[in-house]
Structures are given as C-alpha cells and as structure tokens.
C-alpha cells in the first residue's frame, strides 16, 4: 500500500475513536457537521494557518484553487454518467417546488449527498452501486417540474431521451453494479463501471500494455497511468489526460493556478517542482512525470507542500490508471519536533530494547516522519481522506531516490475530537479511572505510539545472516506489525520518554495500554461481521498482542474480562506487569523474525490472532449498533478567501469554517464545473 493508514475503511481510526481529547484543552471548535447513511462529515482545523507569513498563505491559497479545479475529473473517472447524474440531482435538489418533506424527496437528498461523498454513484469504499430510495416516477416528475436549461441535456437530446439512457444506470441494479470489480475469473475491465476503458476487453488492455514494457528497463515509467484506453474504428489507443487532450478544460484551470503558485514559491527547489507539474499537465509525457516525482521527493525543506495529479490506482481493476487527487499542506513544526526527537535517539532505544543482542542492529537510523497540517483536500482525497501519505508510487524511484512519508496531524486530531462524547467510551470503558486516563492522555499517547511504531519499530532489529526476509510468508505482515507495535508499547512507560519531554508523567502510558487492550480484546470486533475471523494484518496483530498478554497474565490477573449487568469490560489491574509481558512478547517476536521461524509465527498467529469468541463478538456488535455511529467519515473543507487592496494585490488570506456540507458541494459544482457532462 502506497498510502498507509486509510481512514475510510475505519482502519486505524476506530481504534482511535476510544481515545478522547484532553479535558483541560477547552476546545469550542465544532468538529462534527452531519451524519447520513453510513457516513459522517467532520471538519478539520488548520492549526497555524493564521501564523504563516503572507507569501506562504498566498501559496496555500493558489494551490488550494488548483486543487478544487480538478473536481470534475474524478467524477468522470469514477463513471461516465456521474457528471450528468450529479447535475440532474442537484437541479431537483435546489429547484424542486413540490413537497420537500415527501419521502421520495428526502431519500433523493440522501442519495445526492452520497453521490457527492463518493464522487459518483458507487460506494467510495465498497464500490457497490447505491440503491436509490426514491422511485423513477418521482424523479421523472421532479425533472419535468424544473427548468430544462438547468438540466444536462445536450444538443439533439430531449429530457425523455436523457432519462431513457440514464435511468437504468441509477435504478437498474444489473447495470454498472460495481465501480471496481475484482471477482476472479470475470473480465474485470468490462464488468467495472469506472471510466478508464471504453470498448476494450481485459485481454486487449493487458496485451496493449504488455507490448510496451521492456523487461530490461531499470527505470520504467508507469505505463497507462494518465489516460483512458479506448477502441475506436477498430484501433486501440490511449486518450491522454492533458491540456488539449481529455480533461483538458479542467487541467488548463489547474495550470492557471499552479502558475500563480509558482510566482510565490518559497525557494528554487519548490519552484522547480511546480514547473514540472505544469509541464506534465501540458505534455502528458510519463517521463516528465518521473522527473517531477524525483524533484518532489527531494524537496524536503519547504514549509508548504502539495500533491496535485493522477496518483493512486485503486480505482482501476488492472491497477494502472491513476485517479486524480490533490492535497495542500504545511509542516507542523511542533509535532515534527516530536518525531525528530524520537529519531535522534534511535540508537538508545535499540540498545535498551528487551531483545537478544544477536537480533539488534549495531547501527540504527530512525526515520524522521514528518507531521503535516492538511489545508485542503480534493479529488480522491475528498471528502474521505487518508491520514498518511507515502509517495511516489514508482518502484524504481522509491528505491533509487526514496519516498516521502507524512502523517496528517490535524486530520487525526479532528477524528479524535469528534469522537469525544459519541458514547463509545461510556459504553465500553470499565470505569471513571480509565476514562480519566483516556481523556487526559489518550490523544498524546496514541500519537506517540504511532510515532514509535513508524519511526523506530519497523526499523529496529536485524535478520540473522542467511535468513530469507520472506520466510514467514503469509504470517509475515502480522508479525511485522506486532513487532513495531510492541516496540512502541514497551517504551511508552520508560522514564526515557519523560526525560525526552515526550510524556508528561509516569501515568500517561496507561491511557494507551488500556485502550490497546480494550481494542485488541474487544472493541475492534465492531469492524468484523458475525461469523467471520480476523483477517486484516493490523487487526490480527492487535488481537495477537492483547490475547497473548491477557492469557500469559491470567494467573496474576494482570488483565481481566469482567462482567457487569450482562456487559463485558476490560480491566487492567497491573500496568507494570503488562509492560513486562509486552517486553517478553517483543523479544520472542523479534526472535521469530530474526531466525525466520515460520512454525512459531504460524502458531502464534493461529492461536491468538485469528479466532473470535462468538458470544463476545455478538455482544460487542449489539452494544456498538446502539450507539448509532457512522463507520465511514469524511471532511468538509475550510473556505479560503483572498483579501485584496485597491490594486487587486492580495493583502491577506483568511480562513473560515462555517460552510455546511451541501452548501460546499453546491458551491464547488457551481464554481468548479470545468468539464462537459460527457467526456469522450
Ligand atoms: Zn506498521
């Protein structure tokens, strides 16, 4: 995975949902916007934007405009009817004069909000087509009641012919049922609704790209990344997304704002990056894209940074075509200091870890993960976003030039703050004592655990000479994640953490210990359907650690599962012993990794990480369902406004957070509708 820590799928976040914000920080910012279907909209705060120098504010502003100009591209990439359907729905939504409390209208509103959220008519994560809760008859009558020139009717078309073409796409479950079909044995290209291929079969697409590849090329471009593959007049060819090509109308607008950004670049390196993006949008040459990626990965000193382009390929069943996205951000200096402190002391942590000397690295280098503040998100990062980015995706560039790995601190922060008071802690946390720990330290120790995991955990230890790095096979990733998690857990209570100023006192770690055990033993089960096993590697790792520590400490009652009024709770009795247990498991897991002991890995994972107690699972799911929490979350963007003087020079850029969800989506549809309804 190029982009780690996906939020949309509740990956890491549900587990942060139990870590609440520090009580003493009275925060009046409203992090929640609204909730519908399986979605919740939140707001993130752009900490530190007001304090940026004017030139950097301008840079953020111009790059934000460049980000918003690409919105229609993703809608069209996700399905060829998405722009038409969005416009039909929006017109009814704004102009319908009938009964707006009618069930049909209310359900149309929900449907439209889901289409906005998914940038199309398929679920953003599951990729299944939405089932509309309104009838075709209602929709037809509503469309007839609004002004025709506000509907996406092209020349030579009538409303009736448009509906005839588009209604099956909305209402017939057999038409375009999945955006990305991954079912083995089917023609994945023909059966996927995403708009990356037209008139070609999977075989034809694979053959087309296979003949382009040269196995001896050590610096291959990412073939097919920026085009639609079409068959026209019997000939298979690429329609490239570039200025003057497909999506050129939106791309030209992006270029316009990138040019402005170039004018206020912080330094020459950054200027070169922006120049290269513009060149790539103009020539569409994948060699230019690689040159851009290399410049970007080397620009480490600029405060402001951005991604704007065709980036991730999850939306293409063949994994080649990249969806359009953008994020603008700037370095969070305070949090980055924290990760730098950890990395600067990497050797100390390595030397003092509880693993056998033979498995330790003599010389260890910490990875200094940068923490950034997200300023705006767009395309495939909006509204559902990632909380971490690791780019570029080109393998040879990653190995020769490295990659940039960042975590987006203010997004994590917003998830945590929004979870405050959602009832989760009240339902699952054992008592006021634990709740107080979580409220006081939860955010901080959660972040610290992630930092230790990323900056030190994965990089610690070494394989014995001759051990195959893939020796643990299918169990490898669970063991690796457990190793990194345990490294962090082991050090959280260490006095070294206080000496380095990373934790405030000797109690702070208890917040993370408690939430880790509660999550691993119980609450992460809310993400699994009854009857299924634990499958995902991070979830397996957490259950492995929690179950193992629970069982090994059972004699001393280190951790207990206690029942109260028919409800099960996790109760930690001895935090210090729990640390000792984590240390023992870390030592064993490092041994397994270093020696490539497949049998031991298999046994650990199969014994502790996979199976679920069905009674407990059922109980947890029932309790969770009652909380009525939305499993998927996304963000509304802040609004940036340029203040100008009489000559039109920007004197300041202000930020506001008042905009609602529908309000923002309608504004974007009005101001950034850069593409025709049909893009052929
Ligand atoms: Zn990891």
């Amino acid at each position: 995975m190029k982009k780690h820590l996906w939020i949309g799928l509740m990956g890491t976040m549900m587990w942060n949902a139990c870590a609440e914000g520090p009580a003493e920080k009275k925060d009046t910012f409203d992090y929640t916007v609204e909730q519908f279907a399986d979605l919740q909209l939140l707001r993130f705060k752009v900490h530190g934007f007001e304090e940026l120098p004017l030139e950097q504010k301008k840079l953020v502003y111009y790059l934000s405009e460049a980000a918003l100009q690409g919105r229609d591209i993703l809608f069209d990439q996700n399905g060829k009817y998405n722009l038409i359907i969005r416009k039909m729905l929006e017109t009814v939504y704004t102009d319908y004069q009938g009964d707006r409390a009618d069930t049909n209208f209310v359900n149309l509103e929900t449907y439209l909000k889901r289409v906005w959220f998914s940038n199309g008519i398929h679920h953003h994560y599951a990729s299944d087509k939405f089932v509309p809760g309104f009838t075709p008859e209602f929709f037809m009558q509503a469309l007839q009641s609004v002004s025709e020139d506000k509907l996406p009717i092209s020349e030579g078309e009538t409303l009736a012919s448009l509906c005839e073409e588009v209604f099956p796409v909305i209402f017939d479950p057999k038409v375009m049922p999945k955006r990305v079909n991954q079912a083995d044995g089917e023609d994945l290209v023909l059966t996927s609704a995403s708009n990356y291929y037209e008139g070609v079969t999977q075989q034809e697409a694979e053959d087309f790209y296979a003949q382009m590849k040269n196995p001896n090329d050590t610096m291959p471009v990412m073939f097919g990344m920026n085009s639609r593959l079409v068959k026209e007049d019997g000939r298979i060819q690429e329609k490239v997304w570039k200025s003057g090509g497909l999506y050129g109308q939106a791309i030209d607008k992006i270029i316009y704002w990138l040019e402005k950004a170039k004018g206020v670049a912080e330094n020459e390196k950054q200027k070169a990056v922006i120049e290269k993006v513009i060149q790539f949008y103009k020539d569409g040459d994948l060699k230019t894209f690689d040159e851009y990626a290399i410049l970007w990965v080397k620009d480490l000193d600029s405060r402001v940074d951005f991604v704007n382009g065709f980036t991730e390929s999850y939306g293409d069943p063949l994994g080649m075509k990249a969806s359009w996205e953008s994020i603008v951000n700037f370095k969070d200096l305070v949090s980055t200091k924290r990760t730098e402190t950890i990395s600067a002391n990497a050797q100390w942590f390595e030397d003092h870890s509880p693993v056998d000397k033979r498995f330790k690295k003599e010389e260890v280098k910490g990875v200094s993960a940068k923490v950034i503040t997200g300023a705006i998100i767009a395309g495939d990062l909006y509204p559902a976003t990632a909380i971490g980015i690791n780019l570029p995706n080109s393998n040879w560039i990653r190995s020769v030039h490295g990659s940039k790995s960042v975590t987006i601190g203010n997004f994590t922060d917003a998830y945590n703050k929004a979870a405050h008071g959602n009832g989760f802690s009240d339902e699952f946390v054992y008592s006021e004592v634990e709740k107080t720990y979580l409220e006081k330290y939860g955010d901080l120790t959660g972040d610290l655990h992630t930092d230790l995991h990323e900056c030190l955990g994965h990089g610690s230890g070494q394989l014995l000479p001759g051990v195959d790095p893939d020796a643990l096979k299918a169990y490898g990733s669970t063991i690796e994640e457990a190793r990194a998690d345990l490294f962090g857990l082991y050090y959280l209570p260490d006095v070294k953490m206080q000496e380095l100023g990373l934790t405030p006192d000797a109690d702070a770690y208890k917040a993370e210990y408690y939430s880790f055990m509660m999550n691993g033993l119980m609450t992460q089960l809310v993400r699994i359907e009854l009857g299924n096993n634990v499958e995902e590697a991070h979830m397996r790792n957490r259950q492995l650690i929690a179950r193992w520590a629970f069982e090994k400490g059972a004699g001393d009652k280190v951790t207990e599962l206690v029942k109260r009024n028919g409800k099960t709770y996790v109760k930690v009795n001895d935090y210090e012993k729990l640390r000792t247990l984590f240390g023992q498991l870390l030592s064993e897991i490092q041994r397994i990794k270093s020696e490539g002991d497949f049998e031991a890995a298999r046994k650990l994972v199969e014994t502790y990480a996979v199976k679920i107690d069905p009674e407990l699972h059922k109980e947890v799911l029932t309790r969770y369902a009652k909380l009525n929490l939305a499993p998927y979350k996304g963000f509304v963007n802040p609004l940036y406004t340029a203040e100008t003087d009489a000559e039109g020079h920007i004197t300041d850029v202000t930020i506001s957070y008042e905009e609602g969800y529908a309000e923002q989506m309608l504004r974007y549809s009005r101001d950034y509708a850069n593409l025709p309804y049909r893009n052929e």
Side-chain angles (χ1 to χ4, degrees), residues 323-345:
S323 60
W324 187 89
E325 69 179 35
S326 184
I327 177 169
V328 183
N329 63 79
F330 54 93
K331 211 185 278 182
D332 174 343
L333 300 178
V334 175
S335 302
T336 299
K337 206 161 181 195
R338 191 181 69 215
T339 57
E340 282 169 357
T341 303
I342 291 171
S343 290
N345 289 277

PDB file of all heavy atoms in Angstrom, residues 323-345:
ATOM      1  N   SER A 323      -6.264   7.740 -10.373  1.00  0.00           N
ATOM      2  CA  SER A 323      -7.335   8.700 -10.135  1.00  0.00           C
ATOM      3  C   SER A 323      -6.725  10.048  -9.759  1.00  0.00           C
ATOM      4  O   SER A 323      -5.639  10.123  -9.187  1.00  0.00           O
ATOM      5  CB  SER A 323      -8.258   8.208  -9.023  1.00  0.00           C
ATOM      6  OG  SER A 323      -7.534   8.045  -7.827  1.00  0.00           O
ATOM      7  N   TRP A 324      -7.475  11.102 -10.057  1.00  0.00           N
ATOM      8  CA  TRP A 324      -6.967  12.446  -9.790  1.00  0.00           C
ATOM      9  C   TRP A 324      -7.221  12.828  -8.329  1.00  0.00           C
ATOM     10  O   TRP A 324      -8.284  12.552  -7.769  1.00  0.00           O
ATOM     11  CB  TRP A 324      -7.649  13.452 -10.725  1.00  0.00           C
ATOM     12  CG  TRP A 324      -7.038  14.820 -10.589  1.00  0.00           C
ATOM     13  CD1 TRP A 324      -5.975  15.328 -11.278  1.00  0.00           C
ATOM     14  CD2 TRP A 324      -7.430  15.829  -9.654  1.00  0.00           C
ATOM     15  NE1 TRP A 324      -5.681  16.579 -10.840  1.00  0.00           N
ATOM     16  CE2 TRP A 324      -6.552  16.922  -9.839  1.00  0.00           C
ATOM     17  CE3 TRP A 324      -8.426  15.906  -8.681  1.00  0.00           C
ATOM     18  CZ2 TRP A 324      -6.652  18.093  -9.089  1.00  0.00           C
ATOM     19  CZ3 TRP A 324      -8.517  17.064  -7.923  1.00  0.00           C
ATOM     20  CH2 TRP A 324      -7.638  18.150  -8.136  1.00  0.00           C
ATOM     21  N   GLU A 325      -6.239  13.454  -7.701  1.00  0.00           N
ATOM     22  CA  GLU A 325      -6.415  13.909  -6.316  1.00  0.00           C
ATOM     23  C   GLU A 325      -5.490  15.087  -6.024  1.00  0.00           C
ATOM     24  O   GLU A 325      -4.541  15.365  -6.765  1.00  0.00           O
ATOM     25  CB  GLU A 325      -6.117  12.787  -5.316  1.00  0.00           C
ATOM     26  CG  GLU A 325      -4.651  12.400  -5.245  1.00  0.00           C
ATOM     27  CD  GLU A 325      -4.360  11.298  -4.222  1.00  0.00           C
ATOM     28  OE1 GLU A 325      -5.213  10.412  -4.051  1.00  0.00           O
ATOM     29  OE2 GLU A 325      -3.288  11.330  -3.617  1.00  0.00           O
ATOM     30  N   SER A 326      -5.803  15.766  -4.950  1.00  0.00           N
ATOM     31  CA  SER A 326      -4.915  16.839  -4.507  1.00  0.00           C
ATOM     32  C   SER A 326      -5.005  17.032  -3.000  1.00  0.00           C
ATOM     33  O   SER A 326      -6.058  16.835  -2.399  1.00  0.00           O
ATOM     34  CB  SER A 326      -5.266  18.159  -5.216  1.00  0.00           C
ATOM     35  OG  SER A 326      -4.340  19.160  -4.835  1.00  0.00           O
ATOM     36  N   ILE A 327      -3.871  17.385  -2.412  1.00  0.00           N
ATOM     37  CA  ILE A 327      -3.846  17.828  -1.019  1.00  0.00           C
ATOM     38  C   ILE A 327      -2.807  18.937  -0.925  1.00  0.00           C
ATOM     39  O   ILE A 327      -1.759  18.875  -1.568  1.00  0.00           O
ATOM     40  CB  ILE A 327      -3.524  16.687  -0.026  1.00  0.00           C
ATOM     41  CG1 ILE A 327      -3.451  17.230   1.409  1.00  0.00           C
ATOM     42  CG2 ILE A 327      -2.220  15.968  -0.391  1.00  0.00           C
ATOM     43  CD1 ILE A 327      -3.407  16.170   2.487  1.00  0.00           C
ATOM     44  N   VAL A 328      -3.141  19.964  -0.165  1.00  0.00           N
ATOM     45  CA  VAL A 328      -2.187  21.031   0.113  1.00  0.00           C
ATOM     46  C   VAL A 328      -1.935  21.007   1.611  1.00  0.00           C
ATOM     47  O   VAL A 328      -2.871  20.830   2.400  1.00  0.00           O
ATOM     48  CB  VAL A 328      -2.749  22.410  -0.312  1.00  0.00           C
ATOM     49  CG1 VAL A 328      -1.718  23.506  -0.075  1.00  0.00           C
ATOM     50  CG2 VAL A 328      -3.191  22.371  -1.766  1.00  0.00           C
ATOM     51  N   ASN A 329      -0.698  21.165   2.022  1.00  0.00           N
ATOM     52  CA  ASN A 329      -0.384  21.048   3.448  1.00  0.00           C
ATOM     53  C   ASN A 329       0.849  21.861   3.792  1.00  0.00           C
ATOM     54  O   ASN A 329       1.559  22.325   2.905  1.00  0.00           O
ATOM     55  CB  ASN A 329      -0.147  19.576   3.799  1.00  0.00           C
ATOM     56  CG  ASN A 329       1.043  19.009   3.059  1.00  0.00           C
ATOM     57  OD1 ASN A 329       2.182  19.232   3.430  1.00  0.00           O
ATOM     58  ND2 ASN A 329       0.798  18.290   1.960  1.00  0.00           N
ATOM     59  N   PHE A 330       1.082  22.037   5.073  1.00  0.00           N
ATOM     60  CA  PHE A 330       2.336  22.644   5.510  1.00  0.00           C
ATOM     61  C   PHE A 330       2.831  21.941   6.759  1.00  0.00           C
ATOM     62  O   PHE A 330       2.049  21.330   7.495  1.00  0.00           O
ATOM     63  CB  PHE A 330       2.203  24.166   5.712  1.00  0.00           C
ATOM     64  CG  PHE A 330       1.086  24.582   6.627  1.00  0.00           C
ATOM     65  CD1 PHE A 330       1.317  24.769   7.983  1.00  0.00           C
ATOM     66  CD2 PHE A 330      -0.190  24.794   6.127  1.00  0.00           C
ATOM     67  CE1 PHE A 330       0.286  25.162   8.828  1.00  0.00           C
ATOM     68  CE2 PHE A 330      -1.229  25.189   6.977  1.00  0.00           C
ATOM     69  CZ  PHE A 330      -0.993  25.374   8.331  1.00  0.00           C
ATOM     70  N   LYS A 331       4.118  22.010   6.957  1.00  0.00           N
ATOM     71  CA  LYS A 331       4.748  21.258   8.040  1.00  0.00           C
ATOM     72  C   LYS A 331       4.248  21.723   9.403  1.00  0.00           C
ATOM     73  O   LYS A 331       4.179  22.917   9.673  1.00  0.00           O
ATOM     74  CB  LYS A 331       6.274  21.457   7.953  1.00  0.00           C
ATOM     75  CG  LYS A 331       7.068  20.265   8.444  1.00  0.00           C
ATOM     76  CD  LYS A 331       8.570  20.546   8.456  1.00  0.00           C
ATOM     77  CE  LYS A 331       9.208  20.360   7.102  1.00  0.00           C
ATOM     78  NZ  LYS A 331      10.666  20.595   7.118  1.00  0.00           N
ATOM     79  N   ASP A 332       3.903  20.753  10.259  1.00  0.00           N
ATOM     80  CA  ASP A 332       3.538  21.036  11.639  1.00  0.00           C
ATOM     81  C   ASP A 332       4.832  20.998  12.454  1.00  0.00           C
ATOM     82  O   ASP A 332       5.351  19.932  12.773  1.00  0.00           O
ATOM     83  CB  ASP A 332       2.537  19.968  12.108  1.00  0.00           C
ATOM     84  CG  ASP A 332       2.189  20.070  13.587  1.00  0.00           C
ATOM     85  OD1 ASP A 332       2.929  20.736  14.344  1.00  0.00           O
ATOM     86  OD2 ASP A 332       1.184  19.475  13.983  1.00  0.00           O
ATOM     87  N   LEU A 333       5.350  22.186  12.757  1.00  0.00           N
ATOM     88  CA  LEU A 333       6.700  22.263  13.329  1.00  0.00           C
ATOM     89  C   LEU A 333       6.784  21.628  14.713  1.00  0.00           C
ATOM     90  O   LEU A 333       7.766  20.972  15.048  1.00  0.00           O
ATOM     91  CB  LEU A 333       7.169  23.722  13.385  1.00  0.00           C
ATOM     92  CG  LEU A 333       7.234  24.436  12.021  1.00  0.00           C
ATOM     93  CD1 LEU A 333       7.669  25.876  12.194  1.00  0.00           C
ATOM     94  CD2 LEU A 333       8.146  23.712  11.042  1.00  0.00           C
ATOM     95  N   VAL A 334       5.737  21.790  15.518  1.00  0.00           N
ATOM     96  CA  VAL A 334       5.774  21.260  16.883  1.00  0.00           C
ATOM     97  C   VAL A 334       5.778  19.732  16.881  1.00  0.00           C
ATOM     98  O   VAL A 334       6.612  19.091  17.526  1.00  0.00           O
ATOM     99  CB  VAL A 334       4.572  21.792  17.709  1.00  0.00           C
ATOM    100  CG1 VAL A 334       4.542  21.156  19.088  1.00  0.00           C
ATOM    101  CG2 VAL A 334       4.648  23.316  17.807  1.00  0.00           C
ATOM    102  N   SER A 335       4.844  19.144  16.130  1.00  0.00           N
ATOM    103  CA  SER A 335       4.761  17.686  16.112  1.00  0.00           C
ATOM    104  C   SER A 335       5.955  17.052  15.418  1.00  0.00           C
ATOM    105  O   SER A 335       6.399  15.967  15.785  1.00  0.00           O
ATOM    106  CB  SER A 335       3.480  17.236  15.418  1.00  0.00           C
ATOM    107  OG  SER A 335       2.369  17.769  16.068  1.00  0.00           O
ATOM    108  N   THR A 336       6.472  17.715  14.393  1.00  0.00           N
ATOM    109  CA  THR A 336       7.633  17.183  13.695  1.00  0.00           C
ATOM    110  C   THR A 336       8.833  17.151  14.637  1.00  0.00           C
ATOM    111  O   THR A 336       9.668  16.255  14.585  1.00  0.00           O
ATOM    112  CB  THR A 336       7.930  18.009  12.424  1.00  0.00           C
ATOM    113  OG1 THR A 336       6.801  17.923  11.562  1.00  0.00           O
ATOM    114  CG2 THR A 336       9.139  17.480  11.693  1.00  0.00           C
ATOM    115  N   LYS A 337       8.885  18.118  15.534  1.00  0.00           N
ATOM    116  CA  LYS A 337       9.945  18.136  16.540  1.00  0.00           C
ATOM    117  C   LYS A 337       9.904  16.863  17.382  1.00  0.00           C
ATOM    118  O   LYS A 337      10.927  16.270  17.715  1.00  0.00           O
ATOM    119  CB  LYS A 337       9.765  19.357  17.449  1.00  0.00           C
ATOM    120  CG  LYS A 337      11.045  19.794  18.045  1.00  0.00           C
ATOM    121  CD  LYS A 337      10.989  21.203  18.535  1.00  0.00           C
ATOM    122  CE  LYS A 337      12.388  21.419  19.062  1.00  0.00           C
ATOM    123  NZ  LYS A 337      12.730  22.390  19.816  1.00  0.00           N
ATOM    124  N   ARG A 338       8.689  16.423  17.708  1.00  0.00           N
ATOM    125  CA  ARG A 338       8.486  15.205  18.486  1.00  0.00           C
ATOM    126  C   ARG A 338       9.075  13.992  17.747  1.00  0.00           C
ATOM    127  O   ARG A 338       9.826  13.200  18.322  1.00  0.00           O
ATOM    128  CB  ARG A 338       6.980  15.028  18.681  1.00  0.00           C
ATOM    129  CG  ARG A 338       6.572  13.983  19.665  1.00  0.00           C
ATOM    130  CD  ARG A 338       5.045  13.895  19.728  1.00  0.00           C
ATOM    131  NE  ARG A 338       4.507  13.352  18.494  1.00  0.00           N
ATOM    132  CZ  ARG A 338       3.354  13.716  17.941  1.00  0.00           C
ATOM    133  NH1 ARG A 338       2.614  14.635  18.500  1.00  0.00           N
ATOM    134  NH2 ARG A 338       2.941  13.171  16.819  1.00  0.00           N
ATOM    135  N   THR A 339       8.764  13.861  16.464  1.00  0.00           N
ATOM    136  CA  THR A 339       9.269  12.698  15.728  1.00  0.00           C
ATOM    137  C   THR A 339      10.779  12.817  15.523  1.00  0.00           C
ATOM    138  O   THR A 339      11.475  11.809  15.473  1.00  0.00           O
ATOM    139  CB  THR A 339       8.566  12.540  14.366  1.00  0.00           C
ATOM    140  OG1 THR A 339       8.727  13.735  13.613  1.00  0.00           O
ATOM    141  CG2 THR A 339       7.101  12.244  14.544  1.00  0.00           C
ATOM    142  N   GLU A 340      11.266  14.046  15.428  1.00  0.00           N
ATOM    143  CA  GLU A 340      12.720  14.224  15.280  1.00  0.00           C
ATOM    144  C   GLU A 340      13.449  13.832  16.559  1.00  0.00           C
ATOM    145  O   GLU A 340      14.527  13.241  16.512  1.00  0.00           O
ATOM    146  CB  GLU A 340      13.043  15.669  14.873  1.00  0.00           C
ATOM    147  CG  GLU A 340      12.781  15.913  13.397  1.00  0.00           C
ATOM    148  CD  GLU A 340      12.821  17.379  12.974  1.00  0.00           C
ATOM    149  OE1 GLU A 340      12.996  18.264  13.854  1.00  0.00           O
ATOM    150  OE2 GLU A 340      12.662  17.633  11.772  1.00  0.00           O
ATOM    151  N   THR A 341      12.851  14.179  17.709  1.00  0.00           N
ATOM    152  CA  THR A 341      13.441  13.782  18.993  1.00  0.00           C
ATOM    153  C   THR A 341      13.544  12.261  19.071  1.00  0.00           C
ATOM    154  O   THR A 341      14.572  11.708  19.472  1.00  0.00           O
ATOM    155  CB  THR A 341      12.563  14.287  20.159  1.00  0.00           C
ATOM    156  OG1 THR A 341      12.440  15.694  20.048  1.00  0.00           O
ATOM    157  CG2 THR A 341      13.165  13.916  21.507  1.00  0.00           C
ATOM    158  N   ILE A 342      12.472  11.594  18.705  1.00  0.00           N
ATOM    159  CA  ILE A 342      12.465  10.130  18.753  1.00  0.00           C
ATOM    160  C   ILE A 342      13.546   9.566  17.827  1.00  0.00           C
ATOM    161  O   ILE A 342      14.352   8.717  18.227  1.00  0.00           O
ATOM    162  CB  ILE A 342      11.069   9.587  18.373  1.00  0.00           C
ATOM    163  CG1 ILE A 342      10.067   9.923  19.478  1.00  0.00           C
ATOM    164  CG2 ILE A 342      11.115   8.094  18.123  1.00  0.00           C
ATOM    165  CD1 ILE A 342       8.621   9.628  19.122  1.00  0.00           C
ATOM    166  N   SER A 343      13.599  10.059  16.610  1.00  0.00           N
ATOM    167  CA  SER A 343      14.571   9.542  15.639  1.00  0.00           C
ATOM    168  C   SER A 343      16.009   9.812  16.072  1.00  0.00           C
ATOM    169  O   SER A 343      16.891   8.982  15.866  1.00  0.00           O
ATOM    170  CB  SER A 343      14.325  10.161  14.271  1.00  0.00           C
ATOM    171  OG  SER A 343      13.130   9.663  13.755  1.00  0.00           O
ATOM    172  N   ALA A 344      16.227  10.991  16.675  1.00  0.00           N
ATOM    173  CA  ALA A 344      17.585  11.343  17.090  1.00  0.00           C
ATOM    174  C   ALA A 344      18.093  10.407  18.183  1.00  0.00           C
ATOM    175  O   ALA A 344      19.295  10.250  18.379  1.00  0.00           O
ATOM    176  CB  ALA A 344      17.613  12.794  17.577  1.00  0.00           C
ATOM    177  N   ASN A 345      17.176   9.766  18.904  1.00  0.00           N
ATOM    178  CA  ASN A 345      17.567   8.854  19.976  1.00  0.00           C
ATOM    179  C   ASN A 345      17.405   7.381  19.597  1.00  0.00           C
ATOM    180  O   ASN A 345      17.374   6.506  20.463  1.00  0.00           O
ATOM    181  CB  ASN A 345      16.750   9.155  21.234  1.00  0.00           C
ATOM    182  CG  ASN A 345      17.163  10.473  21.864  1.00  0.00           C
ATOM    183  OD1 ASN A 345      18.141  10.530  22.611  1.00  0.00           O
ATOM    184  ND2 ASN A 345      16.454  11.548  21.536  1.00  0.00           N
TER     185      ASN A 345
END
